[in-house]
């Protein structure tokens, strides 16, 4: 599951600077037990440079799928409340 949260309602406009946060929940699989990764990536689109500027990321891994889903939902709510109310879901 991947969700991109934007601070603008025109995130695909190459003429406007904007910031984004990408949240991913990935099943890393495993022979005996599954592991789940929740990755939060911060970036910005620079209209003058016409490129994405990566600002950093944070990873957390979980053995329990429900715990990973709870953290994903918690981070999504936190990021939305921090000024990124527009979302694009990629499933």
């Amino acid at each position: 599951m991947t969700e991109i949260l934007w601070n603008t309602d025109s995130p695909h406009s190459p003429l406007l600077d904007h910031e984004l946060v990408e949240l991913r929940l990935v099943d890393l699989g495993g022979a005996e037990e599954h592991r789940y990764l929740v990755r939060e990536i911060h970036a910005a689109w620079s209209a003058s440079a016409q490129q994405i500027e990566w600002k950093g990321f944070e990873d957390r891994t979980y053995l329990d799928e429900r715990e990973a889903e709870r953290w994903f939902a918690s981070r999504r709510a936190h990021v939305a409340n921090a000024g990124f109310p527009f979302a694009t879901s990629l499933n």
Side-chain angles (χ1 to χ4, degrees):
M1 166 178 7
T2 301
E3 232 176 277
I4 303 171
L5 296 114
W6 312 89
N7 68 343
T8 178
D9 63 350
S10 302
H12 304 292
S13 170
L15 304 177
L16 301 173
D17 288 345
H18 52 270
E19 293 184 51
L20 61 111
V21 177
E22 181 177 311
L23 292 170
R24 292 182 186 181
L25 174 58
V26 180
D27 182 347
L28 298 174
E32 295 181 21
E33 62 183 32
H34 285 265
R35 290 184 335 169
Y36 301 89
L37 170 73
V38 177
R39 174 169 283 174
E40 182 175 329
I41 304 167
H42 292 258
W45 171 257
S46 171
S48 61
Q50 289 291 293
Q51 66 183 16
I52 292 177
E53 298 171 351
W54 302 104
K55 297 186 179 228
F57 70 94
E58 180 182 343
D59 287 346
R60 285 189 174 222
T61 56
Y62 299 90
L63 295 176
D64 182 74
E65 183 177 15
R66 287 185 179 158
E67 189 177 340
E69 288 172 347
R70 279 193 295 273
W71 181 252
F72 183 94
S74 170
R75 291 309 304 158
R76 188 198 185 291
H78 176 77
V79 169
N81 288 334
F84 295 82
F86 306 101
T88 302
S89 294
L90 310 171
N91 292 331

